Amino acid sequence: MDENSNLENLFDEVFNEVRKASERLNGYAYVTPLVPSKWLSSLTEADVYLKLESEQRTGSFKFRGAMNRILSSSVMERERGFVTASTGNHGRAVAEALEVAGLTTSGGQNSIYLPEKVSSGKLRALSSYTVNIEFTSGSDCLETERAAVDAAKRSNRVYISPYMDLSVCAAKRSNR
């Protein structure tokens, strides 16, 4: 296979996953409004629209990615539980998606790893969910992610990456 064929196959795979994500999210994620911006349009001399993701569940586009990952997980994955790392928005999206899917338990099978210097507002928002909140030292996102990945491996749970998972990334590009 040549390089162009590989790129075409990759494009087809991503496009198909975006389409499937949009279908999966129907009834779970809100269709957020797209509104014209006169000011940005005048600055750019083009029609500019703003997608109001602040109107999405959890106030962020990240909910679509988290929800799609949970909905596309197998029964075995759901039974094992989930782990993620976040500085707040992705973690809250995963917690909300777990709740919406009915996968929250008091048994502690779902964990969100946060840097110890996470913002108090984001921590407050996460505290309303039934998930384990684990802190890593410092404010380094990479350190937090490594700790979460290690914990998922040790406990045989599923790690949900905020940016290295096709189902998460595809849903962020869906029309929901």
Side-chain angles (χ1 to χ4, degrees):
M1 248 187 193
D2 66 5
E3 191 174 323
N4 286 335
S5 294
N6 287 336
L7 286 174
E8 288 175 22
N9 289 339
L10 179 61
F11 176 79
D12 289 344
E13 181 183 357
V14 171
F15 179 79
N16 286 331
E17 187 57 35
V18 170
R19 183 188 47 75
K20 287 190 284 188
S22 184
E23 292 168 3
R24 255 185 232 115
L25 292 170
N26 190 23
Y28 294 99
Y30 305 143
V31 178
T32 55
L34 191 64
V35 297
S37 171
K38 289 181 182 181
W39 181 70
L40 289 174
S41 294
S42 69
L43 283 178
T44 60
E45 298 180 7
D47 292 332
V48 176
Y49 292 82
L50 303 175
K51 182 103 167 104
L52 301 186
E53 289 300 311
S54 58
E55 303 303 309
Q56 188 54 265
R57 287 178 185 252
T58 73
S60 169
F61 68 94
K62 300 219 176 203
F63 173 76
R64 292 195 314 267
M67 191 73 227
N68 188 52
R69 178 62 182 92
I70 299 299
L71 290 172
S72 60
S73 64
S74 69
V75 171
M76 280 182 100
E77 287 177 319
R78 292 175 186 208
E79 289 172 354
R80 289 173 24 214
F82 299 92
V83 178
T84 196
S86 175
T87 56
N89 289 343
H90 175 71
R92 184 175 179 195
V94 170
E96 177 79 7
L98 289 166
E99 188 172 280
V100 168
L103 297 176
T104 56
T105 66
S106 56
Q109 67 186 30
N110 301 307
S111 297
I112 298 171
Y113 279 71
L114 302 167
E116 73 179 356
K117 295 184 180 176
V118 69
S119 85
S120 60
K122 290 182 180 186
L123 184 56
R124 226 179 358 265
L126 273 170
S127 67
S128 67
Y129 295 97
T130 308
V131 294
N132 288 330
I133 297 175
E134 308 284 346
F135 292 98
T136 59
S137 60
S139 59
D140 185 286
C141 296
L142 184 56
E143 183 181 317
T144 302
E145 186 168 15
R146 283 184 184 142
V149 169
D150 289 346
K153 285 178 183 175
R154 280 193 316 275
S155 60
N156 196 33
R157 291 180 288 166
V158 178
Y159 177 71
I160 301 177
S161 172
Y163 53 84
M164 293 294 290
D165 184 307
L166 180 58
S167 62
V168 170
C169 294
K172 290 176 184 178
R173 281 130 189 95
S174 73
N175 64 350
R176 290 281 140 209

